[in-house]
Amino acid sequence: MLPEISRSMLKNALVLGLFAIATVGSVALLQQGTAERIANAEREAQVRALAEILPAGSYDNHLLDNRIELDAPELGHRSPQSAYLAFKDGQPSALILPVTAPDGYSGAIHLLVGIYADGRLAGVRVLSHKETPGLGDRIELAKSDWILGFAGKSLSDPDEEGWAVKKDRGDFDQFAGATITPRAVVKAVHGALRYFASHRVQLLGLTEDER
């Protein structure tokens, strides 16, 4: 009886072992395939967001292939982030900066801020946020056109005092029942313009003659 029990136990252990190996292998393959699909989806979303900020014809390179790694706490980051440099006929035409507004109503608001080489805003888009649906989420282009109001603005248009919501005597609208969210975005975009102005030569890779 004992040898038979031992053989049975060994057989069951082998079956369970093979099953475990097959299961782990299947899960690993599934995760790999899922990770690839997620990475491709994220890349496509990035491409769409970048294309929304810079109008067609303002650049002729592939933005994702022209990244600059920035270690810039001034932009609200705790770790290096990728910025995207646009070229037109071989010359830098714009830069898209990743910017985080840490002081949203419900947490950090992650943005992409496009700035032309001359310091004008090409556009701003929200990547992610946790703002209140129906109130603060109007920073999304899908919910309102408020975010489009940044296009064409610069450090001098409006002036320093104008870079605030109207409740704070600035030029930008706030939302009914939600002032904190647009205030945070305006502050972050203004900060991005100041950062660009201070680091323009390095960011665009300009020479002495091109400054």
Side-chain angles (χ1 to χ4, degrees):
M1 291 293 293
L2 289 176
E4 291 180 4
I5 293 174
S6 297
R7 285 196 296 271
S8 178
M9 290 177 64
L10 179 60
K11 180 180 178 181
N12 289 338
L14 288 173
V15 171
L16 288 174
L18 291 172
F19 179 76
I21 292 172
T23 300
V24 170
S26 299
V27 171
L29 289 173
L30 180 61
Q31 287 180 335
Q32 182 178 0
T34 302
E36 290 177 0
R37 287 197 297 272
I38 291 174
N40 289 335
E42 289 178 346
R43 181 181 174 88
E44 291 174 2
Q46 272 189 320
V47 170
R48 287 195 299 270
L50 295 173
E52 285 182 6
I53 293 174
L54 294 179
S58 64
Y59 64 101
D60 52 21
N61 64 307
H62 197 295
L63 294 174
L64 291 184
D65 293 336
N66 291 268
R67 302 186 186 203
I68 304 172
E69 292 301 310
L70 299 180
D71 187 3
E74 304 97 314
L75 299 178
H77 305 309
R78 296 181 179 177
S79 60
Q81 301 288 324
S82 295
Y84 304 90
L85 188 57
F87 288 89
K88 179 69 173 178
D89 298 326
Q91 297 298 316
S93 61
L95 183 69
I96 297 180
L97 294 171
V99 178
T100 297
D103 46 359
Y105 182 78
S106 300
I109 301 170
H110 301 285
L111 310 162
L112 286 177
V113 178
I115 306 174
Y116 289 122
D118 63 6
R120 291 178 299 114
L121 281 169
V124 180
R125 291 294 184 276
V126 176
L127 286 179
S128 64
H129 68 87
K130 297 179 182 177
E131 302 303 279
T132 307
L135 293 173
D137 67 346
R138 292 180 62 196
I139 55 176
E140 295 178 35
L141 183 59
K143 302 297 175 64
S144 82
D145 61 0
W146 179 84
I147 202 76
L148 299 178
F150 288 104
K153 303 295 185 183
S154 66
L155 284 180
S156 58
D157 178 23
D159 59 17
E160 185 74 18
E161 292 183 357
W163 275 98
V165 296
K166 291 180 177 178
K167 187 174 182 179
D168 300 330
R169 299 183 180 181
D171 285 12
F172 295 88
D173 291 331
Q174 62 265 350
F175 307 145
T179 300
I180 294 175
T181 303
R183 179 186 285 147
V185 173
V186 170
K187 179 182 176 182
V189 174
H190 190 207
L193 284 174
R194 289 199 300 262
Y195 176 83
F196 178 82
S198 299
H199 300 82
R200 178 176 176 273
V201 173
Q202 299 94 321
L203 291 171
L204 299 181
L206 301 177
T207 64
E208 283 289 335
D209 296 335
E210 296 171 327
R211 294 189 178 198

